[in-house]
Amino acid sequence: MLGGVTLIERIVVLGAGHVGTALSSMCGAVGVRHAVVDDRPRFARAERLPSAERVLCMPFPAALDRLEPDSRCAVVILTRCHRTDMACLEHALATDASYIGL
């Protein structure tokens, strides 16, 4: 915590499409630890996301359970459809993540 503000140490990116891939590259460029999740095997591949600390191919809620976002973590939801985004948002709100972006 810095002056009452929680510092983000890690980002969980939900969605490995073109926006999630770009965000992963940006995180890597500035040295932010991050994991990328997608439930589609052709998107959730380490070679597509070389700067990600972890790449998981699994259902998004299960990935959030596994990654356990805490108060030093941000969750960014960038999936392929609004229904999936909403399911991710509902699950993310039940975590301790200090920031959830959609």
Side-chain angles (χ1 to χ4, degrees):
M1 187 167 293
L2 178 65
V5 177
T6 300
L7 298 177
I8 299 297
E9 295 178 4
R10 178 173 63 110
I11 297 175
V12 174
V13 180
L14 300 178
H18 63 282
V19 179
T21 300
L23 178 58
S24 177
S25 293
M26 289 172 38
C27 287
V30 297
V32 175
R33 293 177 46 224
H34 65 288
V36 182
V37 179
D38 205 295
D39 57 359
R40 302 168 292 178
R42 73 179 187 275
F43 287 89
R45 295 191 338 255
E47 60 270 12
R48 288 188 71 243
L49 303 150
S51 64
E53 186 174 73
R54 294 177 75 177
V55 178
L56 300 175
C57 183
M58 62 191 314
F60 297 108
L64 281 173
D65 289 343
R66 179 177 290 181
L67 294 169
E68 300 177 325
D70 60 22
S71 64
R72 297 174 318 267
C73 184
V75 175
V76 181
I77 302 167
L78 304 166
T79 72
R80 66 189 169 279
C81 71
H82 298 304
R83 185 179 317 144
T84 307
D85 287 344
M86 184 57 76
C88 289
L89 179 60
E90 289 172 359
H91 208 81
L93 286 170
T95 71
D96 291 330
S98 61
Y99 176 86
I100 299 169
L102 176 63

